[in-house]
Amino acid sequence: MERLGRITTSLPDLPIDRRMTYGAMRRAIVGLPVTVSSALLPDGLWGCYDAATEVILIDRRLTYTAKRCTLVHELLHWQHGDTGCANDHSKQERRARRETASLLIDPVELALLERMYDDPWSIADELNVTIQVLTDYRQILAERNIQ
């Protein structure tokens, strides 16, 4: 019998926030019914969530910033009961990326950093996020301005 994902009436709260380091996030989620482990993942894959075993794997070669962002992304897949890897353009993947960016980036802090720095790498570094998470957040802002 194929498992179709967790059926929930409400989403479990994630005990994490944008001020936490990767290590603090790992400690904060110990009580959740999901296992997080590190592994050597195939090239290009930073992390994955397996719904059948409720296990999140994160590539151990990543920087702590990349691990932090990947952990949040995969926890959001778990939180929503997503069932497996989807392509980059799937609704589940877009949702996880948007929610990761929204959870990890403070708009006030971003506005201040954009006045201080011209390059996105410095801004991302100060925010402790990857360039991808920063790009995703800027996309959210751009879409809000269009609507």
Side-chain angles (χ1 to χ4, degrees):
M1 182 171 160
E2 183 178 334
R3 183 176 171 177
L4 298 176
R6 205 172 347 99
I7 297 174
T8 59
T9 55
S10 65
L11 299 174
D13 290 331
L14 295 178
I16 57 175
D17 67 53
R18 67 177 48 99
R19 295 178 303 273
M20 297 171 93
T21 64
Y22 175 69
M25 287 180 181
R26 287 286 304 259
R27 288 186 297 278
I29 64 168
V30 166
L32 295 178
V34 63
T35 301
V36 179
S37 295
S38 64
L40 293 174
L41 298 178
D43 287 340
L45 187 62
W46 287 16
C48 61
Y49 167 64
D50 178 41
T53 59
E54 292 199 325
V55 170
I56 292 172
L57 296 177
I58 297 177
D59 193 305
R60 67 176 49 148
R61 297 168 289 194
L62 297 175
T63 65
Y64 281 107
T65 295
K67 287 179 182 182
R68 177 179 177 268
C69 295
T70 302
L71 175 61
V72 170
H73 179 97
E74 299 303 333
L75 281 169
L76 288 164
H77 281 305
W78 168 77
Q79 183 185 47
H80 286 288
D82 296 344
T83 56
C85 293
N87 67 43
D88 284 344
H89 305 294
S90 73
K91 187 182 266 187
Q92 291 177 356
E93 194 59 25
R94 286 192 316 269
R95 181 194 63 227
R97 286 175 58 170
R98 292 172 67 82
E99 290 181 8
T100 298
S102 295
L103 191 128
L104 291 178
I105 295 181
D106 176 5
V108 174
E109 188 177 3
L110 175 60
L112 175 64
L113 292 169
E114 285 178 331
R115 287 195 225 36
M116 294 171 56
Y117 299 106
D118 290 332
D119 67 291
W121 294 276
S122 295
I123 295 169
D125 185 53
E126 289 282 344
L127 293 169
N128 195 18
V129 299
T130 62
I131 290 291
Q132 182 64 60
V133 170
L134 178 59
T135 301
D136 290 342
Y137 192 81
R138 286 179 166 169
Q139 180 64 36
I140 293 168
L141 295 178
E143 289 170 5
R144 286 182 188 161
N145 288 334
I146 291 171
Q147 298 173 0

